[in-house]
Amino acid sequence: MSSARRRPKFPSPALPSFDEAAALVAASAAKILRARRGQCNAGIERVRLDQALGRVVALPLLADADQPAFARSTRDGFACRAEEASRYVPLAVAGSTRAGQSPSGPLPRGSAWEIMTGAPVPEGADAVVMLEHVEEVGIPSRSGADRAIRLLPSRTLERGDNIMARGAQARKGDKLLSAGVLIAPAQIALAGSCGATALDVFRKPRVAILSTGDELVPIGSTPGPSQIRNSSSAMLAAMVKDAGGDPWILPIARDTTKSLDAAIGRAATADLVLITGGVSAGQFDLVEPALLRAGARFHFTGVRIQPGKPLVFGEVPSSRTDSVQNQGSAKCYCFGLPGNPVSSAVTFLLFAAPVVAALAGRSEFGARFALARLSEAVKTKTGLTRFLPAVCTFAGPVPEVALVSWQGSGDLAAMARANCFLVVPEDADRLAAGSTVRILLP
Ligand code: AMP
Ligand code: MG
């Protein structure tokens, strides 16, 4: 306990700014990513396509054939020669092809071919005119057809219009998905179009979640008069999953060196350790010294942000040798997140989520920010970058953001009413109504 380090109560110039701390985390994340890329089969697993949502591509997906494999019509209409149609003369309808029918043609001179979206364009045609851009007209003599169409005088047609040429999207063997890409529905569709029923993805990193505090009881228990439920472990587990990790909730650690040392020793078998609580300047804030005893090297111990100023980020030697980020000299990244739930959530989104994403192999690992219009003026103090619970509505032409009223960083109810955090720059004491502001997205 006596080894507890004290930090100054007020922001000291020695603490990194938000941008500086974010850059330190980004540098570590980039290092993690390079190590993951260098990995062979140990860090990779194969998952069925219907299980691949939210996973990260580890081995590239190559096109199994030209895409599209045949010149296809992108419209319902008439395949024709653009040059003939552009003379606005009647074109006899020489045939018809529906999607799924085999390629037909060749297209006789001076004629058009009825075609549906997705159907192969008949040989000889170089454009498709949309159904809505033609009129039915009298049949030209000696055509033998029973229908004819003509391009409407108000319309024009160029070669290539409404035809997707063979291989226009990709050639056989082209790389369609690169390592590091997050698999969303679009990537699943693309893999499916290549006949991939399974994908090679990075193994999920294991993220230990260790809540500390003598006042905490498990969420299934009834708290005593001065106790609270450990809501943060459950919240962080959900956030870890969202970021691409596999959460591992450890039993609550008590505010004693013995309990903390044992728990950190166990947690350091994971790829990343998230500890909550015990990082402020109080007498029972023992996490930082416990991490030091475990051999930690810190990148920073405190950031000029609010909430979340006491945040700690570093590395401890891993107790395991097959951790996903580093097979040889295994180390384990660690965060000491401040105990208040809103502080834990904000610091996770800003700093821990990028590390989880990089450990998961994602090329894009940064926190997500967006711009919105502030609906009501906000007054704060300078000196810290602030992240305040807010609601952003996306219904109008421009996202509109407003603060939710809150009682400070223990206010879980306020956080549950919010869907983002308003970012107030360090040097701003006021943000005007109607101004464009940054928001941090979950
Ligand atoms: P600490 O950072 O340990 O001083 O904790 C700050 C505040 O956050 C205290 O009021 C704690 O009771 C609360 N807190 C700490 N850990 C948790 C947790 N796991 N779940 C909910 N609240 C917590
Ligand atoms: Mg505590």
Side-chain angles (χ1 to χ4, degrees):
M1 202 178 302
S2 57
S3 60
R5 290 189 352 185
R6 298 293 159 86
R7 275 195 224 90
K9 265 195 152 168
F10 299 101
S12 100
L15 291 186
S17 67
F18 165 64
D19 287 337
E20 288 163 344
L24 288 167
V25 168
S28 292
K31 233 162 99 180
I32 289 168
L33 201 57
R34 280 196 297 277
R36 281 234 79 170
R37 287 292 159 73
Q39 275 183 342
C40 44
N41 295 341
I44 294 172
E45 63 189 4
R46 202 164 170 74
V47 294
R48 272 175 25 195
L49 199 55
D50 63 357
Q51 301 294 314
L53 184 69
R55 302 300 297 270
V56 180
V57 175
L59 297 180
L61 172 80
L62 306 182
D64 68 325
D66 288 350
Q67 287 205 353
F70 52 86
R72 65 189 285 271
S73 174
T74 62
R75 299 285 183 186
D76 290 334
F78 295 89
C80 56
R81 292 181 182 84
E83 183 265 324
E84 287 177 351
S86 301
R87 281 190 238 132
Y88 302 98
V89 293
L91 302 173
V93 179
S96 163
T97 308
R98 303 206 323 248
Q101 288 186 323
S102 24
S104 47
L107 180 70
R109 285 265 152 214
S111 56
W113 195 280
E114 190 173 30
I115 195 161
M116 317 304 160
T117 303
V121 175
E123 204 201 307
D126 60 17
V128 169
V129 57
M130 284 168 66
L131 198 57
E132 299 85 336
H133 292 186
V134 297
E135 57 186 350
E136 297 260 352
V137 289
I139 304 153
S141 56
R142 292 197 306 275
S143 69
D146 52 11
R147 284 168 74 203
I149 55 104
R150 179 168 58 195
L151 182 64
L152 288 172
S154 55
R155 301 291 177 177
T156 57
L157 189 69
E158 305 278 338
R159 282 183 71 158
D161 278 359
N162 304 318
I163 293 179
M164 175 95 71
R166 175 176 180 158
Q169 297 170 155
R171 288 284 176 194
K172 181 178 179 172
D174 280 357
K175 192 192 281 187
L176 294 179
L177 293 177
S178 304
V181 167
L182 177 69
I183 300 170
Q187 287 70 30
I188 289 178
L190 186 58
S193 77
C194 294
T197 54
L199 286 172
D200 294 300
V201 300
F202 286 115
R203 194 160 64 76
K204 287 186 192 176
R206 192 166 201 228
V207 181
I209 298 168
L210 174 62
S211 278
T212 73
D214 284 345
E215 74 280 30
L216 301 179
V217 297
I219 51 177
S221 308
T222 305
S226 55
Q227 294 177 319
I228 59 164
R229 293 191 178 96
N230 172 18
S231 54
S232 293
S233 285
M235 171 183 74
L236 288 168
M239 296 178 96
V240 164
K241 279 189 196 164
D242 249 5
D246 185 15
W248 171 35
I249 298 181
L250 284 137
I252 297 161
R254 297 298 156 204
D255 290 324
T256 64
T257 53
K258 192 166 165 231
S259 175
L260 279 173
D261 287 350
I264 289 172
R266 237 186 119 195
T269 57
D271 297 300
L272 173 67
V273 179
L274 303 177
I275 305 176
T276 73
V279 288
S280 306
Q283 197 186 348
F284 294 100
D285 290 323
L286 308 175
V287 166
E288 209 179 300
L291 285 170
L292 279 174
R293 283 194 299 278
R297 196 170 69 80
F298 292 121
H299 296 293
F300 53 78
T301 56
V303 186
R304 296 204 305 273
I305 58 170
Q306 198 258 331
K309 184 162 70 79
L311 172 73
V312 169
F313 172 48
E315 299 164 21
V316 289
S318 171
S319 345
R320 215 178 76 186
T321 49
D322 61 340
S323 65
V324 297
Q325 86 266 22
N326 203 334
Q327 285 159 334
S329 56
K331 64 188 173 195
C332 167
Y333 285 88
C334 58
F335 283 95
L337 307 177
N340 268 313
V342 182
S343 315
S344 305
V346 166
T347 49
F348 179 90
L349 284 176
L350 291 174
F351 303 107
V355 173
V356 177
L359 283 166
R362 279 183 64 174
S363 309
E364 280 182 26
F365 48 69
R368 301 189 317 145
F369 293 95
L371 296 179
R373 184 183 172 278
L374 186 65
S375 38
E376 284 166 35
V378 171
K379 272 175 76 175
T380 56
K381 293 187 192 122
T382 58
L384 300 170
T385 304
R386 283 164 218 272
F387 299 88
L388 308 175
V391 172
C392 188
T393 47
F394 295 90
V398 174
E400 186 97 14
V401 67
L403 290 183
V404 299
S405 65
W406 70 318
Q407 305 300 316
S409 45
D411 194 344
L412 275 173
M415 188 165 68
R417 287 195 300 273
N419 64 1
C420 67
F421 294 93
L422 170 69
V423 184
V424 186
E426 189 175 273
D427 57 0
D429 58 359
R430 176 163 199 289
L431 298 176
S435 58
T436 300
V437 292
R438 278 178 103 200
I439 56 174
L440 168 67
L441 296 171

